[in-house]
Amino acid sequence: MSAVANDSRKRSKKRYVAGHNKRWKGSRELEVGMQGILITCNMNERKCTAEAFNLLNEYADQLFGPEKLQDNNGSSSEEEEADEEDVDVALKKEVAQLQASGAKRERRFQALESGANNVIFIKTHNLESDKLVHHILSDLHTTKKKKSRVILRMLPVTGTCKAFQEDMVKYLTTFLEPWFKTPNCGTYQIAFKARNSSHNKRDEIIKSIAGLVGKLNPKNKVDLTNPELTIIVEVIKAVCCLSVVKDYTVYRKYNVQEVVKEDTPKPDVTTVKKSDANAAEQKEEHDADETNKKEEKGEEDGGEEDGDKNGPQDKKEVDKGEGDGE
């Protein structure tokens, strides 16, 4: 009886733990309606999260000022000391304030499950994620100072919607207006990637978005080399993460590892053409010299060469004659 009872307790405990973990994970996943930053890494999500918090807080303090933390009940330390004499009144006041707020305090950065391996999502609160990420990459590009080891790319997410083509087009109709609707216009490209999602075809999504941008203003033109703006479309499971960013190619597709590397100078086309022409001229001169030397040598040794050439012919004629004679 005791063994059966122990087994039943173990089974019930496992069910409780599984259900508890499922509820916790679901409440901390990327969902439609969120804003934040998608961060990719290489096989070390925990270290990536720690590096992301350090990097984001460092530059957020510079750009937006230090984070101001406030107690859940919004009270100061002096008010708490005044209420120490009556604990019941303090508890009732705290419960009332919590019920009025409807939620506990939210930090400006919160790590959530993205729904894909090697990708984390940092939810942002009361700050512009695109402005922050651009500021980080701009500083790294200028200073060339490496500040992370496992973070690869940092992509701002300023809008989210359901990851179905109809929902995406409907959402983007208004989402893209600040950048592409008349009188605004610019050159652009579309960077699309889907993870753990097979119901969206890349070419169809890009074509539909390009058509939408063209309707907003016919002056908007595609530029795959050096666009002014890049429309980032990142699909993870059933959530589509969107943003419009600047300097996407300059900052190496927002890769924090590549942006700190020294820029390799591009070869000058004019210089390359001139060097090729010089090499060709030198080759022609060399060939001409070799030809002249051969001709001069031929003139000096002309008799011998003629004799050598005629020798075998005469010999053949002799042999032929001898053969005919026989």
Side-chain angles (χ1 to χ4, degrees):
M1 291 294 291
S2 60
V4 175
N6 290 334
D7 291 340
S8 63
R9 291 194 194 97
K10 290 180 181 179
R11 286 197 298 269
S12 61
K13 186 176 181 180
K14 288 180 180 178
R15 291 194 191 101
Y16 172 76
V17 172
H20 177 72
N21 289 339
K22 186 176 181 180
R23 287 194 301 273
W24 177 84
K25 185 178 180 181
S27 62
R28 295 177 61 85
E29 283 187 344
L30 170 62
E31 297 176 353
V32 173
M34 292 182 176
Q35 294 185 353
I37 303 169
L38 275 178
I39 300 178
T40 63
C41 61
N42 189 8
M43 303 299 292
N44 197 336
E45 295 183 16
R46 179 171 293 183
K47 188 173 182 179
C48 176
T49 303
E51 284 188 357
F53 275 118
N54 292 333
L55 197 62
L56 293 174
N57 280 308
E58 175 186 348
Y59 285 94
D61 288 345
Q62 297 176 9
L63 202 59
F64 307 108
E67 184 176 14
K68 296 179 180 179
L69 300 178
Q70 189 178 24
D71 295 333
N72 290 344
N73 56 11
S75 62
S76 63
S77 58
E78 294 179 358
E79 292 176 348
E80 289 176 343
E81 291 176 0
D83 292 337
E84 281 182 358
E85 296 179 358
D86 195 338
V87 179
D88 293 335
V89 175
L91 288 174
K92 289 179 181 179
K93 182 179 179 181
E94 183 176 357
V95 171
Q97 289 178 343
L98 287 174
Q99 291 176 348
S101 63
K104 62 182 180 180
R105 180 194 63 228
E106 188 172 2
R107 302 293 298 269
R108 65 181 176 184
F109 298 120
Q110 183 180 6
L112 304 180
E113 295 286 339
S114 67
N117 292 331
N118 300 324
V119 182
I120 64 173
F121 180 74
I122 303 294
K123 182 182 177 183
T124 58
H125 180 65
N126 289 337
L127 59 83
E128 300 168 280
S129 60
D130 55 342
K131 186 177 180 180
L132 175 60
V133 173
H134 188 275
H135 178 67
I136 294 172
L137 292 165
S138 176
D139 184 70
L140 296 178
H141 183 262
T142 302
T143 60
K144 300 298 181 184
K145 185 176 181 181
K146 188 174 182 180
K147 294 189 176 183
S148 65
R149 296 177 62 87
V150 298
I151 295 176
L152 297 180
R153 300 174 70 203
M154 300 183 71
L155 302 175
V157 178
T158 55
T160 50
C161 64
K162 294 181 179 179
F164 297 96
Q165 187 169 345
E166 308 81 30
D167 299 281
M168 293 165 63
V169 172
K170 182 178 179 181
Y171 184 81
L172 284 166
T173 302
T174 55
F175 179 79
L176 296 175
E177 287 183 353
W179 298 276
F180 299 106
K181 187 177 181 180
T182 308
N184 299 324
C185 66
T187 59
Y188 72 96
Q189 69 174 350
I190 301 171
F192 175 87
K193 187 174 183 62
R195 296 179 175 87
N196 298 339
S197 175
S198 59
H199 59 273
N200 285 311
K201 295 184 179 180
R202 181 178 182 275
D203 294 338
E204 292 182 1
I205 297 296
I206 292 177
K207 186 176 179 180
S208 62
I209 296 175
L212 181 60
V213 175
K215 289 180 180 179
L216 292 174
N217 190 341
K219 293 183 180 180
N220 295 316
K221 302 298 180 182
V222 175
D223 185 353
L224 303 180
T225 304
N226 188 24
E228 297 172 352
L229 299 169
T230 298
I231 304 172
I232 296 178
V233 183
E234 291 275 338
V235 175
I236 302 180
K237 288 187 176 180
V239 180
C240 176
C241 301
L242 300 164
S243 63
V244 179
V245 300
K246 298 182 297 181
D247 301 320
Y248 187 71
T249 55
V250 175
Y251 295 155
R252 312 289 182 87
K253 298 181 178 180
Y254 279 33
N255 189 314
V256 300
Q257 301 297 329
E258 295 294 327
V259 78
V260 297
K261 295 181 180 179
E262 294 295 336
D263 297 330
T264 55
K266 295 182 180 179
D268 189 358
V269 178
T270 306
T271 305
V272 172
K273 288 183 178 179
K274 286 183 178 179
S275 61
D276 292 342
N278 293 336
E281 290 177 0
Q282 291 176 1
K283 187 176 184 302
E284 289 178 0
E285 293 177 357
H286 177 74
D287 293 342
D289 292 341
E290 291 294 328
T291 304
N292 293 334
K293 289 179 181 179
K294 288 181 180 179
E295 290 177 354
E296 291 175 359
K297 185 177 181 181
E299 290 177 357
E300 294 176 356
D301 303 335
E304 294 180 1
E305 288 182 359
D306 292 341
D308 292 339
K309 289 180 180 178
N310 293 332
Q313 291 179 358
D314 296 339
K315 187 174 185 300
K316 287 180 181 179
E317 289 177 358
V318 171
D319 293 341
K320 185 176 179 182
E322 291 177 354
D324 292 340
E326 292 178 356

